[in-house]
mmCIF file of all heavy atoms in Angstrom:
data_model
loop_
_atom_site.group_PDB
_atom_site.id
_atom_site.type_symbol
_atom_site.label_atom_id
_atom_site.label_comp_id
_atom_site.label_asym_id
_atom_site.label_seq_id
_atom_site.Cartn_x
_atom_site.Cartn_y
_atom_site.Cartn_z
ATOM 1 N N LEU A 1170 -17.056 -17.871 -4.342
ATOM 2 C CA LEU A 1170 -15.970 -17.542 -3.613
ATOM 3 C C LEU A 1170 -16.220 -17.101 -2.248
ATOM 4 O O LEU A 1170 -17.185 -16.252 -1.931
ATOM 5 C CB LEU A 1170 -15.272 -16.344 -4.308
ATOM 6 C CG LEU A 1170 -14.832 -16.581 -5.774
ATOM 7 C CD1 LEU A 1170 -14.327 -15.305 -6.475
ATOM 8 C CD2 LEU A 1170 -13.718 -17.659 -5.924
ATOM 9 N N GLU A 1171 -15.416 -17.581 -1.307
ATOM 10 C CA GLU A 1171 -15.670 -17.166 0.115
ATOM 11 C C GLU A 1171 -15.333 -15.719 0.350
ATOM 12 O O GLU A 1171 -15.987 -15.092 1.130
ATOM 13 C CB GLU A 1171 -14.783 -18.066 1.013
ATOM 14 C CG GLU A 1171 -15.065 -17.898 2.458
ATOM 15 C CD GLU A 1171 -14.345 -18.835 3.344
ATOM 16 O OE1 GLU A 1171 -14.273 -19.999 3.056
ATOM 17 O OE2 GLU A 1171 -13.823 -18.441 4.449
ATOM 18 N N SER A 1172 -14.250 -15.259 -0.324
ATOM 19 C CA SER A 1172 -13.788 -13.876 -0.142
ATOM 20 C C SER A 1172 -13.486 -13.315 -1.535
ATOM 21 O O SER A 1172 -12.344 -13.382 -1.998
ATOM 22 C CB SER A 1172 -12.631 -13.830 0.750
ATOM 23 O OG SER A 1172 -12.200 -12.473 0.932
ATOM 24 N N PRO A 1173 -14.434 -12.759 -2.313
ATOM 25 C CA PRO A 1173 -14.138 -12.218 -3.737
ATOM 26 C C PRO A 1173 -13.126 -11.163 -3.712
ATOM 27 O O PRO A 1173 -12.512 -10.966 -4.743
ATOM 28 C CB PRO A 1173 -15.508 -11.765 -4.083
ATOM 29 C CG PRO A 1173 -16.553 -12.435 -3.291
ATOM 30 C CD PRO A 1173 -15.797 -12.681 -1.932
ATOM 31 N N SER A 1174 -12.961 -10.475 -2.635
ATOM 32 C CA SER A 1174 -11.958 -9.367 -2.668
ATOM 33 C C SER A 1174 -10.544 -9.746 -2.110
ATOM 34 O O SER A 1174 -9.756 -8.906 -1.890
ATOM 35 C CB SER A 1174 -12.446 -8.130 -1.902
ATOM 36 O OG SER A 1174 -12.651 -8.458 -0.528
ATOM 37 N N ALA A 1175 -10.382 -11.093 -1.947
ATOM 38 C CA ALA A 1175 -9.156 -11.572 -1.415
ATOM 39 C C ALA A 1175 -7.930 -11.132 -2.265
ATOM 40 O O ALA A 1175 -8.036 -11.087 -3.504
ATOM 41 C CB ALA A 1175 -9.155 -13.135 -1.389
ATOM 42 N N GLY A 1176 -6.879 -10.683 -1.581
ATOM 43 C CA GLY A 1176 -5.695 -10.306 -2.396
ATOM 44 C C GLY A 1176 -5.678 -8.910 -2.863
ATOM 45 O O GLY A 1176 -4.684 -8.336 -3.342
ATOM 46 N N ILE A 1177 -6.822 -8.206 -2.669
ATOM 47 C CA ILE A 1177 -6.901 -6.771 -3.250
ATOM 48 C C ILE A 1177 -5.977 -5.965 -2.625
ATOM 49 O O ILE A 1177 -5.531 -4.974 -3.226
ATOM 50 C CB ILE A 1177 -8.317 -6.357 -3.280
ATOM 51 C CG1 ILE A 1177 -8.502 -5.285 -4.256
ATOM 52 C CG2 ILE A 1177 -8.741 -5.909 -1.880
ATOM 53 C CD1 ILE A 1177 -8.596 -5.669 -5.701
ATOM 54 N N ASP A 1178 -5.608 -6.123 -1.397
ATOM 55 C CA ASP A 1178 -4.718 -5.229 -0.687
ATOM 56 C C ASP A 1178 -3.241 -5.609 -0.939
ATOM 57 O O ASP A 1178 -2.346 -4.962 -0.389
ATOM 58 C CB ASP A 1178 -4.989 -5.178 0.881
ATOM 59 C CG ASP A 1178 -4.857 -6.615 1.399
ATOM 60 O OD1 ASP A 1178 -4.533 -7.570 0.754
ATOM 61 O OD2 ASP A 1178 -5.233 -6.736 2.687
ATOM 62 N N GLY A 1179 -2.936 -6.660 -1.663
ATOM 63 C CA GLY A 1179 -1.620 -7.051 -1.990
ATOM 64 C C GLY A 1179 -1.029 -7.943 -0.958
ATOM 65 O O GLY A 1179 0.095 -8.448 -1.191
ATOM 66 N N ASP A 1180 -1.681 -8.181 -0.011
ATOM 67 C CA ASP A 1180 -1.094 -9.030 1.086
ATOM 68 C C ASP A 1180 -1.672 -10.514 1.105
ATOM 69 O O ASP A 1180 -1.261 -11.372 1.872
ATOM 70 C CB ASP A 1180 -1.331 -8.457 2.478
ATOM 71 C CG ASP A 1180 -0.544 -7.214 2.723
ATOM 72 O OD1 ASP A 1180 0.564 -7.086 2.237
ATOM 73 O OD2 ASP A 1180 -0.992 -6.415 3.504
ATOM 74 N N GLY A 1181 -2.675 -10.629 0.252
ATOM 75 C CA GLY A 1181 -3.454 -11.929 0.289
ATOM 76 C C GLY A 1181 -2.725 -12.872 -0.566
ATOM 77 O O GLY A 1181 -1.546 -12.875 -0.878
ATOM 78 N N PRO A 1182 -3.555 -13.880 -1.074
ATOM 79 C CA PRO A 1182 -3.035 -15.006 -1.868
ATOM 80 C C PRO A 1182 -2.624 -14.449 -3.271
ATOM 81 O O PRO A 1182 -2.921 -13.272 -3.670
ATOM 82 C CB PRO A 1182 -4.216 -15.937 -1.983
ATOM 83 C CG PRO A 1182 -5.402 -15.059 -1.767
ATOM 84 C CD PRO A 1182 -4.958 -13.975 -0.818
ATOM 85 N N MET A 1183 -1.832 -15.307 -4.024
ATOM 86 C CA MET A 1183 -1.415 -14.920 -5.338
ATOM 87 C C MET A 1183 -2.560 -14.632 -6.270
ATOM 88 O O MET A 1183 -2.495 -13.788 -7.083
ATOM 89 C CB MET A 1183 -0.460 -15.989 -5.899
ATOM 90 C CG MET A 1183 0.827 -16.067 -5.127
ATOM 91 S SD MET A 1183 1.863 -14.618 -5.193
ATOM 92 C CE MET A 1183 2.387 -14.663 -6.822
ATOM 93 N N GLU A 1184 -3.585 -15.436 -6.063
ATOM 94 C CA GLU A 1184 -4.744 -15.282 -6.989
ATOM 95 C C GLU A 1184 -5.637 -14.125 -6.391
ATOM 96 O O GLU A 1184 -6.038 -14.090 -5.309
ATOM 97 C CB GLU A 1184 -5.584 -16.583 -6.979
ATOM 98 C CG GLU A 1184 -6.736 -16.652 -7.953
ATOM 99 C CD GLU A 1184 -6.283 -16.637 -9.442
ATOM 100 O OE1 GLU A 1184 -5.189 -17.138 -9.640
ATOM 101 O OE2 GLU A 1184 -7.055 -16.075 -10.202
ATOM 102 N N VAL A 1185 -5.988 -13.222 -7.278
ATOM 103 C CA VAL A 1185 -6.855 -12.100 -6.910
ATOM 104 C C VAL A 1185 -7.995 -12.140 -7.838
ATOM 105 O O VAL A 1185 -8.056 -11.758 -9.000
ATOM 106 C CB VAL A 1185 -6.120 -10.763 -7.153
ATOM 107 C CG1 VAL A 1185 -6.989 -9.553 -6.746
ATOM 108 C CG2 VAL A 1185 -4.814 -10.693 -6.314
ATOM 109 N N PRO A 1186 -9.142 -12.636 -7.306
ATOM 110 C CA PRO A 1186 -10.417 -12.805 -8.083
ATOM 111 C C PRO A 1186 -10.824 -11.602 -8.791
ATOM 112 O O PRO A 1186 -11.443 -11.549 -9.816
ATOM 113 C CB PRO A 1186 -11.477 -13.286 -7.112
ATOM 114 C CG PRO A 1186 -10.639 -13.883 -5.948
ATOM 115 C CD PRO A 1186 -9.451 -13.037 -5.901
ATOM 116 N N LEU A 1187 -10.673 -10.335 -8.214
ATOM 117 C CA LEU A 1187 -11.087 -9.081 -8.870
ATOM 118 C C LEU A 1187 -10.104 -8.526 -9.779
ATOM 119 O O LEU A 1187 -10.314 -7.480 -10.386
ATOM 120 C CB LEU A 1187 -11.399 -8.108 -7.740
ATOM 121 C CG LEU A 1187 -12.752 -8.394 -6.957
ATOM 122 C CD1 LEU A 1187 -12.924 -7.287 -5.896
ATOM 123 C CD2 LEU A 1187 -13.889 -8.436 -7.901
ATOM 124 N N LYS A 1188 -8.936 -9.159 -10.007
ATOM 125 C CA LYS A 1188 -7.975 -8.593 -10.841
ATOM 126 C C LYS A 1188 -8.469 -8.424 -12.325
ATOM 127 O O LYS A 1188 -9.141 -9.262 -12.823
ATOM 128 C CB LYS A 1188 -6.719 -9.523 -10.957
ATOM 129 C CG LYS A 1188 -5.544 -8.946 -11.544
ATOM 130 C CD LYS A 1188 -4.305 -9.816 -11.494
ATOM 131 C CE LYS A 1188 -3.094 -9.124 -12.074
ATOM 132 N NZ LYS A 1188 -1.896 -9.947 -11.814
ATOM 133 N N GLY A 1189 -8.300 -7.192 -12.881
ATOM 134 C CA GLY A 1189 -8.872 -6.879 -14.171
ATOM 135 C C GLY A 1189 -9.353 -5.413 -14.241
ATOM 136 O O GLY A 1189 -9.093 -4.608 -13.403
ATOM 137 N N VAL A 1190 -10.011 -5.170 -15.281
ATOM 138 C CA VAL A 1190 -10.688 -3.927 -15.526
ATOM 139 C C VAL A 1190 -12.169 -4.022 -15.471
ATOM 140 O O VAL A 1190 -12.793 -4.844 -16.195
ATOM 141 C CB VAL A 1190 -10.231 -3.307 -16.885
ATOM 142 C CG1 VAL A 1190 -10.984 -1.944 -16.983
ATOM 143 C CG2 VAL A 1190 -8.683 -3.029 -16.759
ATOM 144 N N TRP A 1191 -12.786 -3.307 -14.575
ATOM 145 C CA TRP A 1191 -14.212 -3.431 -14.272
ATOM 146 C C TRP A 1191 -14.905 -2.108 -14.684
ATOM 147 O O TRP A 1191 -14.463 -0.976 -14.431
ATOM 148 C CB TRP A 1191 -14.483 -3.795 -12.801
ATOM 149 C CG TRP A 1191 -13.806 -4.979 -12.419
ATOM 150 C CD1 TRP A 1191 -12.599 -5.194 -11.982
ATOM 151 C CD2 TRP A 1191 -14.449 -6.319 -12.338
ATOM 152 N NE1 TRP A 1191 -12.355 -6.465 -11.721
ATOM 153 C CE2 TRP A 1191 -13.533 -7.207 -11.946
ATOM 154 C CE3 TRP A 1191 -15.678 -6.727 -12.736
ATOM 155 C CZ2 TRP A 1191 -13.736 -8.543 -11.804
ATOM 156 C CZ3 TRP A 1191 -16.034 -8.023 -12.625
ATOM 157 C CH2 TRP A 1191 -15.087 -8.989 -12.179
ATOM 158 N N ARG A 1192 -16.060 -2.223 -15.283
ATOM 159 C CA ARG A 1192 -16.899 -1.089 -15.696
ATOM 160 C C ARG A 1192 -18.022 -0.916 -14.603
ATOM 161 O O ARG A 1192 -18.758 -1.908 -14.313
ATOM 162 C CB ARG A 1192 -17.534 -1.168 -17.108
ATOM 163 C CG ARG A 1192 -18.375 0.007 -17.366
ATOM 164 C CD ARG A 1192 -18.808 0.047 -18.854
ATOM 165 N NE ARG A 1192 -19.574 1.255 -19.052
ATOM 166 C CZ ARG A 1192 -20.293 1.504 -20.153
ATOM 167 N NH1 ARG A 1192 -20.331 0.553 -21.036
ATOM 168 N NH2 ARG A 1192 -21.015 2.585 -20.252
ATOM 169 N N LEU A 1193 -18.284 0.274 -14.121
ATOM 170 C CA LEU A 1193 -19.290 0.577 -13.132
ATOM 171 C C LEU A 1193 -20.573 0.522 -13.892
ATOM 172 O O LEU A 1193 -20.806 1.300 -14.828
ATOM 173 C CB LEU A 1193 -18.997 1.861 -12.484
ATOM 174 C CG LEU A 1193 -19.984 2.307 -11.411
ATOM 175 C CD1 LEU A 1193 -19.866 1.449 -10.169
ATOM 176 C CD2 LEU A 1193 -19.861 3.749 -11.023
ATOM 177 N N VAL A 1194 -21.552 -0.211 -13.416
ATOM 178 C CA VAL A 1194 -22.884 -0.234 -14.075
ATOM 179 C C VAL A 1194 -23.933 0.130 -13.104
ATOM 180 O O VAL A 1194 -25.056 0.539 -13.515
ATOM 181 C CB VAL A 1194 -23.252 -1.709 -14.677
ATOM 182 C CG1 VAL A 1194 -22.374 -2.008 -15.801
ATOM 183 C CG2 VAL A 1194 -23.227 -2.687 -13.559
ATOM 184 N N TYR A 1195 -23.597 0.263 -11.796
ATOM 185 C CA TYR A 1195 -24.628 0.709 -10.836
ATOM 186 C C TYR A 1195 -23.860 1.156 -9.578
ATOM 187 O O TYR A 1195 -22.839 0.554 -9.157
ATOM 188 C CB TYR A 1195 -25.567 -0.387 -10.438
ATOM 189 C CG TYR A 1195 -26.576 0.117 -9.261
ATOM 190 C CD1 TYR A 1195 -27.599 0.858 -9.611
ATOM 191 C CD2 TYR A 1195 -26.325 -0.250 -8.003
ATOM 192 C CE1 TYR A 1195 -28.465 1.362 -8.576
ATOM 193 C CE2 TYR A 1195 -27.125 0.170 -6.978
ATOM 194 C CZ TYR A 1195 -28.241 0.982 -7.217
ATOM 195 O OH TYR A 1195 -28.948 1.387 -6.278
ATOM 196 N N THR A 1196 -24.337 2.166 -8.982
ATOM 197 C CA THR A 1196 -23.654 2.583 -7.673
ATOM 198 C C THR A 1196 -24.761 3.329 -6.882
ATOM 199 O O THR A 1196 -25.716 3.923 -7.410
ATOM 200 C CB THR A 1196 -22.449 3.559 -7.836
ATOM 201 O OG1 THR A 1196 -21.886 3.766 -6.554
ATOM 202 C CG2 THR A 1196 -22.868 4.843 -8.575
#
Side-chain angles (χ1 to χ4, degrees):
L1170 302 171
E1171 187 175 319
S1172 181
S1174 61
I1177 199 73
D1178 59 3
D1180 292 332
M1183 294 297 288
E1184 187 68 29
V1185 180
L1187 288 178
K1188 190 173 186 176
V1190 178
W1191 298 86
R1192 181 173 180 189
L1193 180 72
V1194 294
Y1195 176 80
T1196 185

